[in-house]
Structures are given as C-alpha cells and as structure tokens.
C-alpha cells in the first residue's frame, strides 16, 4: 500500500472494528491496489478518484460490502452487484460474508473498481427518477387540498427531501398509518425541513 493514499482515520476505524476487521483490511488492500485515494466519509472508508466518490467499504449484521456510488452504470457480467433496496437508484453493493470469499474474487472485484474509475473519468452521471414520477399518497394529497400552504412548502423542499417523505409515507400498508405519518411531519414540512433535519 502506498502511504500517499491512506488516512489515519481508516487505520483507527480498522483498529476498532470487531466483526469485519479481516474482511475490511483485505478490501482496503484491493481498493488501494487500484490507485484510488483513501478518505473517511459517513463514518466509513471511502475511496475517490479525482475528488469523486467511487467506492465505500461498510458492514452490516450479516455481510460486509463494497458500495459503488454509481454502480447502476457498471456492467455486471459476473452478477455480483446488488441493489440495496428497491428505491436505491445509483449505488450497488458487492456483498461478502468472509475474507476467503473476497480473496477468491479479488480479480473480479478489481475489474468492478476499474470500471467505476472509468465511469468517473468519463464524467458519467446516473439519470435519477424525477420526484414528479413518485406517487403522492392519497392521505398526503388530502392534506394538500385542506392546507394549500402545506403543498407549497412541500414543493419548496429539495427533491431529495420530497422523495424521502413520499417513500416514508407510501411504505405504510394501512391508510391509518400513512395518515399518522403525514400528520407527524406536517410541521417539519411547513418549516422547510427534511425528515432528519
């Protein structure tokens, strides 16, 4: 590993890691072999090319993963890329459950990383689904009709905040739950805030 590309924050992160330490260490070595610059973002090792995020290392309860920020643009010839949730538009993961799996697939992993670097070099962008293409739940539409100022405030939010609300409201299976969720966030929307602000 070239010292130029590493950061002490990732060293600390690995020192404190319990569950996926060996897997993260191996993934780090593979990514750094691809000449990406190491950073630490969102509390995880993140690797960039020319300042642009390419891949992030993260772990969950049952697996650890490489997350490709523009994974939707990669050719998945080995069927390794996973869309984390149905609403994830850009990112894709390659998941692992043990270090041997990473060792066995090192060449394939590097191929995906090199593809991701080429995506950045070419300046390619993911075409995101427009917020207007999301369905407004009936319970929210009723509130918009009752409170025009709510609709105006909602439309003033950033597209990402609008999507987060629409997805959160729509996920509830029962109308009562959707209505309760809408009620809970009315003031935040009126204040121009997102769900997590």
């Amino acid at each position: 590993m070239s010292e130029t590309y590493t950061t002490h924050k990732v060293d600390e992160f690995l020192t404190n890691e319990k569950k996926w330490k060996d897997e993260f260490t191996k993934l780090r070595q593979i990514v750094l072999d691809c000449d990406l610059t190491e950073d630490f973002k969102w509390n995880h090792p993140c690797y960039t090319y020319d300042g642009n995020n390419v891949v992030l290392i993260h772990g969950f309860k049952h697996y650890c993963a490489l997350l490709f920020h523009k994974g939707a643009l990669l050719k998945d010839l080995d069927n390794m890329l996973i869309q984390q949730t149905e609403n994830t538009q850009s990112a894709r993961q390659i998941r692992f459950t043990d270090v041997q799996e990473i060792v066995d697939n090192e060449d394939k992993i590097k191929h995906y990383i090199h593809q991701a670097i080429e995506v950045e070099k070419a300046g390619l962008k993911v075409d995101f689904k427009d917020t207007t293409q999301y369905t407004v739940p009936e319970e929210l539409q009723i509130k918009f009709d009752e409170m025009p100022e709510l609709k105006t405030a909602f439309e003033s939010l950033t597209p990402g905040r609008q999507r987060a609300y629409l997805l959160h409201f729509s996920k509830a299976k029962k109308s009562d739950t959707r209505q309760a969720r809408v009620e809970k966030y009315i003031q935040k929307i009126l204040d121009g805030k997102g769900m997590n602000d």
Side-chain angles (χ1 to χ4, degrees):
M1 281 189 298
S2 168
E3 196 57 42
T4 329
Y5 294 107
T6 62
T7 175
H8 294 294
K9 287 183 181 178
V10 175
D11 293 335
E12 283 178 40
F13 174 81
L14 291 174
T15 299
N16 295 324
E17 176 60 30
K18 305 267 187 287
K19 186 171 179 83
W20 302 109
K21 186 173 192 163
D22 293 342
E23 290 79 7
F24 286 171
T25 301
K26 181 61 180 170
L27 288 171
R28 181 191 201 194
Q29 175 257 309
I30 290 170
V31 175
L32 290 174
D33 282 351
C34 296
D35 292 327
L36 289 172
T37 301
E38 186 172 78
D39 203 341
F40 194 72
K41 300 180 181 183
W42 308 287
N43 295 317
H44 290 89
C46 183
Y47 298 86
T48 63
Y49 174 81
D50 200 22
N52 297 308
N53 299 324
V54 174
V55 66
L56 179 124
I57 296 172
H58 60 164
F60 298 88
K61 185 175 183 180
H62 299 293
Y63 66 88
C64 64
L66 280 179
L67 177 108
F68 292 87
H69 296 274
K70 294 182 182 175
L73 300 178
L74 304 180
K75 291 180 183 153
D76 191 14
L77 300 177
D78 294 303
N79 289 326
M80 294 180 79
L81 295 176
I82 296 170
Q83 186 175 356
Q84 204 169 351
T85 68
E86 64 183 55
N87 297 311
T88 302
Q89 295 185 57
S90 181
R92 297 292 183 271
Q93 292 178 330
I94 299 179
R95 296 178 179 175
F96 309 98
T97 55
D98 62 60
V99 74
Q100 190 58 49
E101 191 179 1
I102 297 167
V103 171
D104 292 345
N105 288 288
E106 183 168 348
D107 290 340
K108 290 177 184 177
I109 295 166
K110 284 183 177 180
H111 177 73
Y112 283 99
I113 294 169
H114 288 299
Q115 268 196 80
I117 292 168
E118 291 305 314
V119 163
E120 288 306 323
K121 285 181 180 177
L124 301 179
K125 306 277 184 212
V126 174
D127 288 329
F128 288 100
K129 184 176 171 183
D130 191 84
T131 306
T132 58
Q133 295 175 282
Y134 287 86
T135 303
V136 174
E138 182 182 353
E139 295 77 7
L140 181 59
Q141 187 58 55
I142 289 169
K143 278 294 172 193
F144 284 167
D145 295 341
E146 290 174 6
M147 302 174 62
E149 69 275 17
L150 180 65
K151 183 175 183 182
T152 301
F154 185 83
E155 290 172 348
S156 298
L157 295 172
T158 63
R161 287 183 173 129
Q162 289 179 29
R163 280 192 299 273
Y165 280 122
L166 292 174
L167 291 171
H168 180 65
F169 298 154
S170 298
K171 274 186 190 172
K173 293 179 181 169
K174 295 181 179 179
S175 179
D176 290 351
T177 308
R178 288 191 297 273
Q179 187 174 350
R181 287 182 180 187
V182 170
E183 293 286 344
K184 178 180 176 180
Y185 286 102
I186 287 175
Q187 193 56 54
K188 275 200 153 194
I189 294 169
L190 290 171
D191 292 342
K193 295 181 177 179
M195 287 179 59
N196 301 314
D197 292 344

